[in-house]
Amino acid sequence: MSSPTQTLTDTPPPRPASGLPRLLAGIPADGAMNLAEHLALHGGPPPLSRRGRREQPPLIGQIEEAGLHGQGGAGFPTAVKMRAVAASRGRPVVLVNAAEGEPASLKDRTLMQTVPHLVLDGAILAAEALGADEVIVGVCESARASVSSVAEAIAQRGAPRRRSARTRLVGVPAHYLAGQESALVNHVNGATAIPSFTPPMVFQRGVARRPTLVNNAETLAQLALIARHGPSWFRELGTASQPGSTLLTLSGPVAHPGVYEIAYGTSLQSLIAAAGGATAPSRAVLLGGYGGCWVAGEHLANLVLCDEHLSAHGASLGAGVVALLPAEACPVAETARLARWLADRSAGQCGPCVHGLHALAAAVKEIAAGGAQRGCEQRIERLTALVRGRGACGHPDGAARMISSAMLAFGGEFADHARHGPCDGCRDPAFLALPRSSDNFAEHGRSTAGKPVRPR
Amino acid sequence: MSPLLASAGPSLAWYLTRSSGIVALLLLSAAVVLGVVDVRRYSTPRWPRFILDALHRNLALLAIVFLTLHILTSVLDSFASISPLDVFVPFTGSYRPFWLGLGAISFDLVLAVSITSLLRRRMGYESWRAVHWLSYASWPIALLHGFGTGSDIQSTWLLVLSLACMALVLGAVLARVIPVWGRYPHRARAALGASAIFTAFLALWLPGGPLGSEWARRSGTPSSLLSHRHAATGTVSHR
Amino acid sequence: MSYRLRVNPIACEAHGMCAELLPERIALDEWGYPLIDNAPLQPELLEHARRAVQACPTFALLLERQSRSSAR
């Protein structure tokens, strides 16, 4: 426990470490870095001058120069988002997004559990740069260790200094869509954690109708490091278009699945090696998240983990999910299960999503069960084009992307199943974990659910 | 006041009140039916959705025109001394206070529905919809008001007309409720139950009530007008 | 100054009046939900577009003004 009199500006900043780890540096064996350990390793944030401004160059300019992009999946340039909040009317709020509704991703709860102070630093620095008086930390309720770690960290910091933002913790339900920007804001505002139609965007009107900066927890942790060590240091790792490091959640047949920090541009094989090597051959990888992109096995040997390279396969790193599919799994069965699961995660607000994802799941299941007429593949192609961009959020686009990429990556297997029906692998339990959750809106019949179908 | 309005016999205003009231009831019944057609999305190539929707709106507005005429003439007519206050505040009048009061209630509900509909863009869809549900309440109250205050109810044609409107609106309620029975069983049961109770009530009450003897006296017509009534309409009191 | 049509997919309940009133730009998918061709509206279609926006029972159809320079 740090001494109550210790302030954030007491310790001088140490020389920045080169190479990895950055975010995950110095994590003690028992799990969480307390305030003293955090300050000893990273030093305090740049000190406030007597006028209440940071002595360093303005933060947003540094973030822009560093080329930091959002780490929550959308990859939006952080500086642009911050400028948008700064330009909006009203006193801003900073909302840390550690909702992490993506089941295959563990990085945000890991960050909040092990290095909460780094994330809090980033949030408070952003708040000070924007003139915000409040920082809200949204953490997934079911990640209990993370929740208590953040609560502890906020308590360790004590009362905010004059002109610094006050911080509070908000538990977020473990729903797939709860981490979507407007859904998270709605939850903080006391409504259901489902997306809203935009405009107005949350950077204009969000929490309590104030301009809100919603940033992924990892993004803010990176911000905290950039503020200390500068943009050039940040760019020492990574690629020109994707500088810096990033957290990935590696799952599948490797010795030590879990959260890893890599520099953008690292190869998939080095990541697997860092995780103790493969325990079995993989036939494919799902990148980005359950609404991400499948890449077939033949590309795995040369796969480079940065969006520039992955775009050749139609993929991106998204929320940092790298889910390897072992050779013995049936990719068609996994895709069918995933498609059904994603359809059930729909908030039930938009007709094309509710009906389209349901129809897609049914079509994929039909192929998987065999005996599908030739029209099935065309139907899937038509439906994926029909749902893209027609929801209030990116959920239908993600489901469409996952299914389209599966049809492409597993063309042979799909054709096989269509002709001969289920294979042996279909009967195995699911490899990709599909948690049962309480957010089956379509089933529970929310007031706006049951999206009508117009009689023809 | 003009001689016509001040006459002791059946004045122009009195005829206008009764006739505009009947027309208003007919139009309101049509509006309710079309409202159900709207929400159930019925349409044909000849009658597309936007036409039926506009028809619902316009018939409702026309009903309000006749309703306004009905109210104005009843206030202006000197026979039954209905004050402007009685138009909005129920049960405070001297002429058949209960039955007239039902008219006031129905009118208040119609006002709420129509004003919110005119301002619907400013209100937001959910609040507008919540108020619009009140139309289902305003109709039966208006019908009861008609039965209770109307002086023509004992004539066959008006009875048939009223019952025909009743059948239409009942049919509309069934068409509204039955298709969504599975999704909202409680609300559906409540709606059908209320309709059944209302129908049963009418069947039991009408013969001994407005269709029975001396209804004018029993419904609260001031005694000073009772003898007037018989002379004016020339009706022989039924038993 | 150009105008574009956009639909609020949350508010939309597939009533379909928009497609009746502006078939040049709005078609309905197999579930009755609008498929909007959101190229800028020609001036002669603007009145019809306004009428379609007025007719939508749930206020889901929106007419948005866009300066020529702003990208979609």
Side-chain angles (χ1 to χ4, degrees), chain A residues 416-445:
Chain A
D416 238 17
H417 281 71
R419 241 177 282 126
H420 306 300
C423 68
D424 289 332
C426 285
R427 284 178 266 279
D428 288 344
F431 273 99
L432 295 172
L434 299 175
R436 212 177 296 151
S437 58
S438 59
D439 62 342
N440 195 333
F441 293 107
E443 222 178 64
H444 292 180

Side-chain angles (χ1 to χ4, degrees), chain A residues 243-316:
Chain A
S245 65
T246 189
L247 295 179
L248 302 178
T249 311
L250 178 65
S251 61
V254 294
H256 305 293
V259 177
Y260 289 89
E261 187 174 4
I262 61 153
Y264 282 112
T266 306
S267 71
L268 176 61
Q269 294 309 314
S270 345
L271 173 63
I272 293 176
T279 56
S282 294
R283 71 187 302 162
V285 68
L286 180 59
L287 290 172
Y290 281 175
C293 208
W294 288 103
V295 177
E298 67 236 34
H299 305 294
L300 297 187
N302 302 321
L303 210 62
V304 173
L305 298 168
C306 72
D307 287 352
E308 203 178 333
H309 177 97
L310 291 173
S311 62
H313 302 281
S316 68

